[in-house]
Amino acid sequence: MLVDKKTFKNDFKKKLMTLYAEDIDNSSKLHQYLALGSLIKEYSAQKWMNTNNQYAKESRKQVYYFSMEFLIGRLLGSNILNLDIYDICEEGLSELGINLEELQEVENDAGLGNGGLGRLAACFLDSMASLGIPGHGCGIRYDYGLFEQKIVDGYQVEIPDNWLRDGNVWEVRREDKAIVVKFGGEVIQTEKDGKLSFEHINYESVLAVPYDTPIIGYKNNTVNTMRLWRAETIDKDFDLESFSKGQYSKAVEHKYSIESISQVLYPDDTRIDGKILRLKQQYFFVSAGLKSIIRSYKKTGRPIEEIHNYIQVHINDTHPSIAVAEFMRILIDEENLPWDEAWKMTTEVMAYTNHTILAEALEKWSIELFKKLLPRVFMIIDEINERFCKEVFEKYNDLEKVHKMAIIADGSINMAYLAIVGSHSVNGVAKLHTEILKSRELHNFYEFYPEKFNNKTNGITHRRWLMKSNPRLCELITDTIGTKWIEAPEKLIDLIVYSEDENFKNKLHEIKQNNKIRFAEMVKAKYGISIDPNSIFDVQVKRLHAYKRQLLNVFNILNLYYKLKDDPNLDIVPRTFFFGAKAAPGYYLAKRTIKLINTVANLVNNDTTINGKIKVLFLENYSVSLAEKIIPCADVSEQISTTTKEASGTGNMKFMMNGAITIATLDGANVEIHEKVGDKNIVIFGMKKDEVMNYEKNKNYNAAYYYNNDPRIKRIVDSLIDGSLGVPKSEFEDIYKYLLANNDEFFVLKDFDDYVEAQNRINLLYKNQSKWLEMSAVNIAYSGDFSSDNTIKNYAKEIWHVNPVNIKLKKN
Ligand SMILES: *Cc1c(COP(=O)(O)O)cnc(C)c1O
């Protein structure tokens, strides 16, 4: 055991005193949290050092997961859980008069990501450490994470997320390991003994300082590292020359311009902002990351020519794809390797995950802009492109095809293509998504490199999303089938025999009810709204995006509301609709949708004639910590994206694992959830993949038809502009136009009827509680296959070819 209760209590009191010269009675919750966090980090330090030492000493192959985003959330609870000292801490603190749960609330979420993609990276880090796989994160230490959302008069207002305000107990700044990253300048080409060499001059240097956070494995001795880079000026403070000339503000400007590189996370989910600062961010962390990896590899004394046997670099979405060119640049310019050898090594090191087929998310950079910022890297990409185009031409003798597949074409660089050409593996994130990539979006590349393409369906860590977020459900599971599922989540399937056991189902019901009651109390305290814990908790929480179709959900609510107005005695189970969603600050339609949800909430919640049968609640500031609270309360999980548009989804898996019933289109990983639980245990509706693709190909969808032929739709859509929602008519005019004049890009009106019918099925199913609980149990039973442990095992075996390492615990 790491520590016993008595020692823990003493350690904690001592920590409070040494850090703040305070005892428990005189310390704030913040100081208590910081003291506890710092103590927990201390408890993990020995394992952290051992892990690093053992990887180096045994020359273990290591994975570096490069990602612009890590949506980590809070670490206190999960670190205590993974160190297996939860009970000791909870009881020990309780004896000191401190509530551990309350202390956890003090921690600011590390919100260094937008949504699913960043959260996936965080789940993967947890799984790699817990499986003993040598795998680390590499990213940016943003001063400000994803904005904090406030709702004012129904509108989203963005507030900077100053998550570092109270300090960050988990990180270690390692200025001694800083790296210089170079921007701009020119390249001089010289020839010596028939060999070309390139000198980069007049560049601007930016210092990349690493901040390391321990990633603690579950009940093992592995502690991996998440290394995030911060941009700083080399001369520390400011440009002395300007300063001495009395140009103080100019001197400081320089410092700010450099630090701006790691200042803020781009708040766009799936849409790409083509600003140069974003390219700077990408190159900044990729260059620093690769240089530091090569530096530590060289310390082992092995020759650079063998590096591909010891490292894997994973490119999480297209954002870090510049890694392909930067790795080549380092091997060629700094390590003096010939092109062909460097290229072979690079493709063996790199692996790429594609996360989306949405065209607006494809990373493309204008040649002009790119060349100016990264002249030498551009030359490398140019050469990669030329050699690749030659290969394509040799194979097909077809110039049109060459043009279609070229990395550089029509004045811009297609970064996804660079990632594909430069990697040995290209994977999609769910079966359907990978199939679409192979058959449509990346068909030419699939034909050219069939061996590179593979699927790795996303996953979630069951430690955070079940053990930590729903402890009472865990207790029930363990009481029922023992503890094996904790180390082997696929063993949750043993629950299947209890899905018809009334005793088990009653307990399952009781746990869900308790979670709902607790949440209702929080809602009452925070929003002053009373919600009925006996109502169906119907939850759609995810980023706000047209393709995710929060609008479809709202339209069903309005339909239900009008039905209740017409017939107040309508026999339905009371329902509470929850939404949680941030909209990108520049995404106009998404922000209007938030206003619409709040407007409908206002209308419905204050209408006494419907007897409180439905309520609508928009939960402010959806984040990891809020997700952990709402998901265990959900009866219904809304996964209603337009088929083909959601690459995988991971929210769907979190809900399933907590026993919610999914109402879903056959999109992303919903397809695989459906495959596992079967028709009887999920409610499927909506257009199928081929239908959507045919409409898109033939361009023959007609939204107006549904408006003109379905009176329910007409009434709802008209209410957007006729003042009946109680706001000025202009408020939702643009949503109205989007649906009719712009022909409803994501088929909301087309799927409306089927969705309403599916919601009726939910209502009927819920009335049969015994059946409902059986479905719930079946969902939990099959959810183990969606643990990211399973996903990571597949990445390790089929892409990275890395093995777990058993870290030995030795104390110094
Ligand atoms: C899981 C998660 C997401 C992803 O949700 P999807 O429904 O898959 O889009 C987004 N944000 C947060 C905070 C999450 O925890």
Side-chain angles (χ1 to χ4, degrees):
M1 200 197 307
L2 199 58
V3 63
D4 62 45
K5 193 164 75 186
K6 186 157 167 267
T7 316
F8 165 75
K9 282 163 70 179
N10 283 330
D11 288 351
F12 176 73
K13 285 190 281 191
K14 196 163 157 211
K15 201 79 210 160
L16 252 184
M17 190 180 68
T18 53
L19 280 175
Y20 305 110
E22 285 171 347
D23 55 21
I24 288 168
D25 292 341
N26 295 304
S27 57
S28 62
K29 281 217 180 91
L30 175 62
H31 280 182
Q32 292 171 1
Y33 157 72
L34 291 169
L36 180 60
S38 135
L39 182 60
I40 298 301
K41 190 169 77 176
E42 220 167 271
Y43 287 156
S44 70
Q46 181 81 49
K47 293 181 175 193
W48 199 6
M49 187 173 81
N50 290 354
T51 303
N52 282 326
N53 288 347
Q54 205 176 318
Y55 289 164
K57 204 165 130 242
E58 297 175 7
S59 288
R60 293 297 184 150
K61 188 174 188 180
Q62 297 180 61
V63 178
Y64 298 90
Y65 198 82
F66 277 51
S67 180
M68 278 279 266
E69 303 190 4
F70 287 95
L71 191 49
I72 298 287
R74 292 175 175 154
L75 280 174
L76 180 60
S78 64
N79 282 347
I80 294 178
L81 175 75
N82 285 8
L83 287 173
D84 197 24
I85 51 172
Y86 201 95
D87 292 344
I88 285 169
C89 290
E90 189 172 40
E91 283 168 31
L93 288 169
S94 160
E95 287 169 19
L96 297 172
I98 296 171
N99 181 321
L100 175 56
E101 215 172 312
E102 280 174 27
L103 276 201
Q104 293 183 56
E105 291 297 310
V106 176
E107 181 170 3
N108 289 318
D109 272 46
L112 309 185
N114 274 289
L117 174 146
R119 186 53 232 173
L120 183 78
C123 283
F124 280 6
L125 294 185
D126 184 76
S127 283
M128 287 192 283
S130 296
L131 293 168
I133 290 172
H136 314 284
C138 179
I140 299 173
R141 181 183 177 275
Y142 300 103
D143 295 337
Y144 294 87
L146 184 60
F147 65 86
E148 189 188 324
Q149 179 193 56
K150 287 251 186 286
I151 301 298
V152 179
D153 288 338
Y155 297 101
Q156 166 174 300
V157 173
E158 300 98 24
I159 293 168
D161 167 42
N162 190 1
W163 70 293
L164 294 165
R165 187 182 41 232
D166 306 321
N168 175 359
V169 276
W170 308 112
E171 67 187 10
V172 179
R173 175 182 163 94
R174 300 200 195 275
E175 57 271 296
D176 56 327
K177 292 205 156 73
I179 297 264
V180 176
V181 178
K182 300 171 183 175
F183 290 101
E186 294 112 49
V187 178
I188 304 218
Q189 189 174 320
T190 49
E191 199 179 327
K192 206 177 149 198
D193 307 331
K195 194 174 172 290
L196 285 179
S197 69
F198 300 88
E199 199 194 347
H200 190 184
I201 58 164
N202 296 333
Y203 51 80
E204 178 179 43
S205 294
V206 174
L207 196 68
V209 180
Y211 286 71
D212 289 352
T213 298
I215 303 293
I216 301 171
Y218 180 74
K219 276 203 202 182
N220 61 13
N221 295 316
T222 299
V223 178
N224 288 333
T225 302
M226 175 175 71
R227 173 162 285 184
L228 304 179
W229 299 90
R230 176 167 196 262
E232 297 182 7
T233 48
I234 293 211
D235 39 88
K236 246 339 196 219
D237 289 311
F238 36 69
D239 173 4
L240 262 182
E241 203 183 324
S242 304
F243 187 64
S244 59
K245 284 189 206 145
Q247 298 167 305
Y248 179 76
S249 64
K250 187 163 172 257
V252 183
E253 233 169 68
H254 175 70
K255 171 178 148 79
Y256 285 151
S257 123
I258 285 192
E259 290 183 350
S260 72
I261 294 174
S262 58
Q263 206 157 47
V264 285
L265 168 80
Y266 272 80
D268 259 355
D269 181 61
T270 73
R271 303 164 155 236
I272 288 304
D273 194 330
K275 287 204 185 75
I276 191 146
L277 180 60
R278 196 177 162 89
L279 180 57
K280 272 193 188 167
Q281 290 187 330
Q282 295 177 352
Y283 183 69
F284 167 74
F285 92 91
V286 164
S287 179
L290 291 176
K291 284 178 177 172
S292 92
I293 291 165
I294 292 170
R295 178 178 62 193
S296 51
Y297 170 76
K298 286 170 88 172
K299 268 205 220 145
T300 66
R302 288 177 190 276
I304 190 75
E305 287 84 356
E306 290 174 18
I307 191 168
H308 53 285
N309 298 324
Y310 297 93
I311 69 164
Q312 283 286 299
V313 170
H314 204 91
I315 299 173
N316 188 33
D317 209 1
T318 322
H319 324 142
S321 53
I322 203 167
V324 169
E326 175 66 0
F327 198 65
M328 280 296 282
R329 190 195 64 74
I330 297 170
L331 294 184
I332 291 170
D333 292 359
E334 295 176 18
E335 302 296 335
N336 296 309
L337 292 181
W339 182 281
D340 289 328
E341 190 177 2
W343 182 246
K344 188 165 173 295
M345 290 161 64
T346 300
T347 52
E348 280 184 39
V349 163
M350 303 288 158
Y352 162 62
T353 297
N354 174 288
H355 279 270
T356 179
I357 58 166
L358 296 175
E360 63 266 36
L362 290 182
E363 202 108 19
K364 285 186 182 168
W365 295 109
S366 104
I367 295 176
E368 288 322 304
L369 180 150
F370 196 104
K371 233 185 198 167
K372 228 168 117 188
L373 189 68
L374 304 166
R376 179 60 185 144
V377 180
F378 176 76
M379 290 168 71
I380 304 248
I381 296 177
D382 202 27
E383 176 85 24
I384 294 172
N385 180 51
E386 211 159 285
R387 290 171 182 243
F388 173 64
C389 287
K390 197 161 152 252
E391 272 183 70
V392 174
F393 186 76
E394 272 163 18
K395 176 156 181 177
Y396 299 110
N397 205 358
D398 176 350
L399 276 174
E400 198 183 324
K401 195 151 201 149
V402 172
H403 184 76
K404 274 192 193 147
M405 295 174 75
I407 298 166
I408 304 177
D410 305 323
S412 56
I413 311 174
N414 188 321
M415 300 303 281
Y417 294 178
L418 176 66
I420 296 166
V421 174
S423 298
H424 65 277
S425 166
V426 176
N427 74 282
V429 290
K431 283 184 198 165
L432 177 70
H433 170 61
T434 303
E435 280 318 306
I436 295 173
L437 289 179
K438 293 203 286 195
S439 65
R440 202 175 64 180
E441 256 61 28
L442 300 177
H443 180 68
N444 287 334
F445 287 92
Y446 174 58
E447 254 183 14
F448 193 72
Y449 297 124
E451 71 290 348
K452 287 192 185 185
F453 284 75
N454 65 93
N455 175 248
K456 294 288 168 284
T457 301
N458 282 168
I460 55 167
T461 167
H462 61 289
R463 286 167 292 276
R464 180 177 293 263
W465 297 109
L466 181 55
M467 296 168 70
K468 177 167 171 282
S469 65
N470 205 342
R472 276 159 292 221
L473 178 55
C474 289
E475 234 169 84
L476 173 61
I477 295 171
T478 296
D479 288 348
T480 311
I481 59 169
T483 56
K484 281 207 194 90
W485 66 275
I486 292 174
E487 307 269 340
E490 64 280 2
K491 287 271 187 327
L492 283 172
I493 198 63
D494 293 349
L495 285 173
I496 205 80
V497 294
Y498 295 91
S499 63
E500 292 175 45
D501 178 317
E502 290 306 316
N503 183 35
F504 176 81
K505 289 197 290 187
N506 287 338
K507 287 181 182 157
L508 190 58
H509 177 70
E510 197 182 306
I511 288 162
K512 184 70 80 181
Q513 280 314 109
N514 276 330
N515 291 342
K516 287 165 74 174
I517 290 166
R518 271 167 56 111
F519 197 79
E521 284 165 2
M522 188 282 280
V523 166
K524 180 78 198 169
K526 183 166 172 180
Y527 297 93
I529 295 176
S530 300
I531 52 175
D532 176 7
N534 293 314
S535 65
I536 299 176
F537 277 26
D538 181 317
V539 186
Q540 186 173 22
V541 285
K542 47 181 74 246
R543 282 304 287 260
L544 213 138
H545 203 295
Y547 84 80
K548 292 180 183 276
R549 297 200 295 189
Q550 280 90 355
L551 262 186
L552 182 56
N553 191 343
V554 176
F555 283 11
N556 173 63
I557 295 170
L558 277 174
N559 183 53
L560 204 52
Y561 175 66
Y562 292 142
K563 267 172 80 172
L564 281 166
K565 294 287 288 177
D566 295 345
D567 174 12
N569 294 321
L570 188 71
D571 181 27
I572 58 159
V573 184
R575 216 190 278 214
T576 307
F577 294 93
F578 294 91
F579 290 86
K582 288 181 184 175
Y587 190 176
Y588 173 76
L589 195 75
K591 293 180 117 178
R592 282 287 135 171
T593 306
I594 289 178
K595 173 66 176 171
L596 176 62
I597 296 167
N598 285 308
T599 303
V600 170
N602 222 358
L603 183 73
V604 168
N605 299 350
N606 295 313
D607 188 334
T608 50
T609 68
I610 59 166
N611 299 320
K613 278 195 178 157
I614 55 174
K615 287 252 162 92
V616 181
L617 214 93
F618 190 96
L619 303 166
E620 233 171 30
N621 200 37
Y622 182 55
S623 54
V624 174
S625 53
L626 179 57
E628 287 171 36
K629 294 191 183 83
I630 181 72
I631 291 172
C633 307
D635 297 303
V636 177
S637 160
E638 297 275 350
Q639 308 300 335
I640 60 178
S641 55
T642 310
T643 300
T644 73
K645 304 301 177 194
E646 187 76 88
S648 163
T650 48
N652 46 5
M653 302 166 184
K654 299 169 195 164
F655 282 99
M656 175 196 195
M657 200 173 266
N658 284 276
I661 306 305
T662 312
I663 179 166
T665 49
L666 282 176
D667 197 17
N670 300 345
V671 177
E672 287 154 78
I673 293 175
H674 173 241
E675 253 171 40
K676 295 249 179 313
V677 303
D679 277 330
K680 286 198 311 209
N681 298 297
I682 187 168
V683 175
I684 297 293
F685 76 99
M687 300 164 80
K688 304 293 180 287
K689 149 183 166 256
D690 290 336
E691 256 180 288
V692 174
M693 286 186 163
N694 282 333
Y695 272 125
E696 285 177 347
K697 201 171 107 201
N698 304 324
K699 299 190 173 22
N700 57 352
Y701 174 58
N702 179 9
Y705 173 85
Y706 297 92
Y707 170 82
N708 289 321
N709 288 283
D710 187 332
R712 298 168 304 175
I713 293 181
K714 185 159 191 316
R715 181 172 180 188
I716 291 162
V717 173
D718 285 345
S719 74
L720 295 172
I721 53 157
D722 65 10
S724 61
L725 299 180
V727 291
K729 293 180 179 179
S730 58
E731 195 75 272
F732 304 121
E733 213 174 3
D734 291 306
I735 297 181
Y736 179 88
K737 281 189 193 149
Y738 162 81
L739 291 169
L740 295 178
N742 294 334
N743 205 29
D744 180 21
E745 185 182 357
F746 294 105
F747 307 99
V748 171
L749 304 189
K750 166 85 173 99
D751 270 347
F752 173 81
D753 176 61
D754 208 15
Y755 181 59
V756 169
E757 199 274 322
Q759 286 289 20
N760 286 337
R761 265 183 286 159
I762 290 273
N763 183 61
L764 288 177
L765 285 166
Y766 194 84
K767 280 188 183 170
N768 183 346
Q769 272 294 299
S770 173
K771 194 78 206 154
W772 183 270
L773 291 165
E774 182 183 330
M775 293 169 69
S776 174
V778 169
N779 272 274
I780 300 168
Y782 281 102
S783 69
D785 291 346
F786 295 102
S787 166
S788 46
D789 287 10
N790 184 30
T791 314
I792 282 296
K793 279 182 189 163
N794 291 328
Y795 272 89
K797 186 160 160 260
E798 294 162 20
I799 298 179
W800 302 327
H801 308 291
V802 292
N803 297 312
V805 176
N806 189 8
I807 302 296
K808 291 167 212 94
L809 187 61
K810 49 175 197 303
K811 296 226 159 118
N812 286 359

